Amino acid sequence: MLTLALLWICMLIVNCSTHPAVITPQDPTLMIGSSLTASCLVESDLNLKAEDLFWTLNGRRLSAELYKILNSTALSVALNNLNGSKQQSGDNLVCHSKDGRILAGSCLYVGLPPEKPTNITCWSKNMKDLTCKWAPGSEGETYLHTNYTLKYKLRWYGRDNTCQEYHTMGQYSCHIPKDLALFTPYEIWVEASNRLGSTTSDIITLDILDVVTTDAPSDVHVSRVGDLEDQLSVRWSSPPALKDFLFQAKYQIRYRVEDSMEWKVVDDVGNQTSCRLAGLKPGTVYFVQVRCNPFGIYGSKKAGIWSDWSNPTAASTPRSERLTGVCDPKSGEQNSTLRRELKQFFGWVKKHAYGCSNLSIKLYDQWRVWLQKSHKTRNQVLPGDKL
């Protein structure tokens, strides 16, 4: 509310055509650390004396120690080592009569010239548009209203074009929605300007085909793999927006358990649209997401840009049906050797089947199903053997 009130005062002062007093200088622009001496000259017919006046800055009364009476109707104030403006619309220096009435005011613009914008990065959603972001120099804050203008043109010909849709992906961003050429590089740069100066970023050059990203994969389905307790199957659809273009795609999967925020990422999915997650916990709910990186569009050699992650899809692994605390009456050296060999086999297959590798998956499935059935049979027989 204070900021709005100060802004209103400043606008009122600027827009009024006549005032009972005049402040000089009017609406100055200063660098941070500068000093300023301002004077308030009152109309002689108001019967006000200089000693009847006082100053405020952004609504705060300034110390009389900063004042100097210039003559019977003029009072000055000295401000040293000024800080950046509290609001980009300017700080409000106001001259008052002793009863608090506003006589005149001035907007002080104290700040820094803009620094050269850096780190321009751009991407195209399905080759239909272009969005660019940048950083406003190393410091960023200028304390003054600073205009940023993104410009672009075809590298070898054509005129400069100005981006129109700003702040689409944050404060320092702009979106070009259409009328972009393929197979021809663009030059792109950002201009920054405020009351204290202007500057221009370095020019970057890019081809739309080299910065393509796409929508997050759709139709993500996660399901159980039969009765296997430690596996889930993930399936999804390739990006429909790029179905008519020649390109390759690679995918990533990440998953986490329901009560954790720590994601595990599977990098070796390749360009397939299905994957088997192995080594999971039985009876556990998992959240799964998939993202896509389209690359090699029309022969582009660039790495491509990852899409956003898909919405989380949840599924649970089957609960383990093994009974605990049941003794095996047939345990012996031969049976121990068999169990040890099976344990080693299990560890080997599990290691090679992690993520989305297809190595020995069928053999692994068959062995796990046989093992679970043997446990169920043994657990059903063993209680009867005790009778």
Side-chain angles (χ1 to χ4, degrees), residues 45 101 132 221 247 262 330:
D45 57 357
R101 182 163 59 101
C132 295
H221 298 279
F247 77 104
E262 182 180 352
K330 299 180 180 180

Side-chain angles (χ1 to χ4, degrees), residues 153-179:
K153 70 173 184 177
L154 292 171
R155 185 175 186 182
W156 294 298
Y157 57 91
R159 58 182 179 81
D160 293 359
N161 298 282
T162 301
C163 183
Q164 301 295 328
E165 298 181 10
Y166 289 89
H167 314 305
T168 55
M169 292 295 292
Q171 183 178 2
Y172 306 109
S173 65
C174 196
H175 176 240
I176 305 169
K178 59 182 180 179
D179 299 332

Side-chain angles (χ1 to χ4, degrees), residues 69-87:
I69 295 177
L70 303 179
N71 56 48
S72 61
T73 58
L75 180 71
S76 69
V77 63
L79 303 175
N80 299 312
N81 195 24
L82 290 168
N83 295 319
S85 295
K86 299 296 183 181
Q87 55 270 335

Side-chain angles (χ1 to χ4, degrees), residues 217-357:
S218 59
D219 300 324
V220 178
H221 298 279
V222 184
S223 57
R224 296 180 177 182
V225 183
D227 293 330
L228 297 181
E229 311 161 346
D230 67 343
Q231 296 189 29
L232 289 173
S233 175
V234 187
R235 294 179 292 105
W236 60 91
S237 299
S238 59
L242 298 175
K243 63 184 174 116
D244 296 329
F245 298 97
L246 180 63
F247 77 104
Q248 296 174 299
K250 54 185 176 182
Y251 298 93
Q252 275 186 344
I253 293 177
R254 69 178 185 179
Y255 62 95
R256 63 175 176 86
V257 297
E258 183 178 23
D259 57 353
S260 172
M261 295 306 295
E262 182 180 352
W263 294 92
K264 293 184 178 180
V265 178
V266 180
D267 285 313
D268 60 346
V269 182
N271 62 357
Q272 57 187 339
T273 55
S274 64
C275 175
R276 181 81 63 84
L277 300 177
L280 308 178
K281 298 178 181 179
T284 304
V285 176
Y286 283 88
F287 289 98
V288 181
Q289 292 180 294
V290 185
R291 67 177 180 174
C292 175
N293 183 338
F295 67 99
I297 296 180
Y298 291 127
S300 170
K301 303 299 183 181
K302 300 296 183 179
I305 299 175
W306 286 104
S307 72
D308 293 332
W309 289 102
S310 64
N311 293 325
T313 302
S316 63
T317 52
R319 293 184 179 276
S320 176
E321 298 186 13
R322 301 179 187 179
L323 299 180
T324 59
V326 178
C327 297
D328 187 349
K330 299 180 180 180
S331 61
E333 182 177 352
Q334 182 177 1
N335 204 30
S336 298
T337 301
L338 176 60
R339 287 200 301 272
R340 184 169 61 251
E341 291 176 351
L342 289 176
K343 184 177 180 179
Q344 292 172 348
F345 176 72
F346 171 76
W348 183 89
V349 174
K350 182 177 179 180
K351 177 181 178 181
H352 288 80
Y354 180 79
C356 296
S357 173

